[in-house]
Amino acid sequence: MNPILRQRLVGALVLIALCVVFWPIVFVESVDQQPIELRPTPQRPDIDRSPLAQPQSPEATIRERVKPPEIDRESQMQADEMTRLVDGESDSNLSELNAVDSVQKLELRDAAPIVPVLDAAGYPQAWVLQVATVSSESRAKTLVEQLVDKGYPAFHARFARDTVVQWRIQIGPKFEKESFESIKSEVDRVLKVKSMVVRYQQPL
């Protein structure tokens, strides 16, 4: 490209850039901005500080209408005394307990299972075999673990009597009392207790 033509093109571009920059400054009329108006701070809103009512719990409302299941307290107290294990007494003899499969062999039924009977509160009457009562939760867990290892559906339940907290070790629940007969004989033989079939207390 001719150097003279190149200089003229550069000069023209420079003039155009200057026009773009200075055109608004020279020819565009400035707009006066309105002054900022400071308004007074609005008053604080009135807040209702009256205490709120306690929320209603649907569970609490339902519990008021639901009757607790019936409990045979006399039989349960008798079972607690008959199955009480002395503190410090060894439970190692549970290793002699035969597995539930060899104690309660599977047999074909000649009749249909019984229909569970409902109590006055509408709960089905189920039964458990209470095998021990101890005053230590750790001991209760150990006994339950040993029974479960042998195939017995055992669990422990906490209860308090005269401000003394204790734990019941029970097997079940079942709807037929007769299904505990063979298990009861085996547990009584090994634990040296008089286990007792009592009404299952369903937790609420």
Side-chain angles (χ1 to χ4, degrees):
M1 181 182 289
N2 192 339
I4 297 176
L5 180 60
R6 183 186 300 171
Q7 290 178 359
R8 288 180 179 179
L9 288 174
V10 172
L13 292 173
V14 172
L15 290 175
I16 293 173
L18 291 174
C19 289
V20 171
V21 173
F22 291 103
W23 182 274
I25 299 176
V26 177
F27 296 101
V28 176
E29 183 178 0
S30 61
V31 179
D32 294 335
Q33 295 183 353
Q34 295 181 355
I36 299 175
E37 181 181 357
L38 298 178
R39 297 182 180 181
T41 304
Q43 296 181 355
R44 292 184 177 182
D46 294 334
I47 301 175
D48 185 4
R49 300 182 182 277
S50 58
L52 298 176
Q54 292 293 331
Q56 296 293 330
S57 171
E59 180 182 358
T61 305
I62 294 173
R63 282 185 178 274
E64 292 178 355
R65 301 177 181 177
V66 175
K67 296 180 180 180
E70 295 178 347
I71 300 175
D72 188 350
R73 299 186 184 279
E74 183 176 351
S75 297
Q76 185 61 71
M77 291 179 63
Q78 183 181 359
D80 294 340
E81 293 300 326
M82 293 174 60
T83 60
R84 190 178 308 280
L85 297 180
V86 180
D87 293 340
E89 192 175 84
S90 174
D91 300 320
S92 58
N93 53 356
L94 270 179
S95 59
E96 303 175 5
L97 193 67
N98 291 321
V100 68
D101 293 337
S102 61
V103 173
Q104 194 174 37
K105 296 181 180 180
L106 183 63
E107 297 179 357
L108 296 178
R109 301 182 64 105
D110 296 329
I114 64 171
V115 178
V117 179
L118 302 182
D119 61 16
Y123 294 89
Q125 292 186 9
W127 309 91
V128 291
L129 178 66
Q130 182 157 329
V131 300
T133 304
V134 297
S135 57
S136 169
E137 184 178 12
S138 60
R139 189 181 184 188
K141 290 181 178 179
T142 301
L143 286 169
V144 169
E145 290 175 359
Q146 293 175 337
L147 288 168
V148 171
D149 289 342
K150 294 290 186 176
Y152 296 87
F155 65 95
H156 68 279
R158 180 181 182 275
F159 73 100
R161 181 173 297 157
D162 298 332
T163 69
V164 178
V165 178
Q166 296 178 321
W167 282 264
R168 300 180 179 119
I169 293 87
Q170 299 175 332
I171 297 175
K174 296 177 181 292
F175 291 117
E176 298 175 334
K177 284 185 176 182
E178 294 77 10
S179 59
F180 289 114
E181 291 179 357
S182 56
I183 297 177
K184 173 177 168 55
S185 300
E186 178 66 12
V187 171
D188 290 352
R189 178 185 69 82
V190 175
L191 281 180
K192 302 297 189 294
V193 296
K194 292 183 179 180
S195 59
M196 184 173 176
V197 177
V198 293
R199 173 78 185 275
Y200 172 58
Q201 298 184 21
Q202 184 173 352
L204 296 178

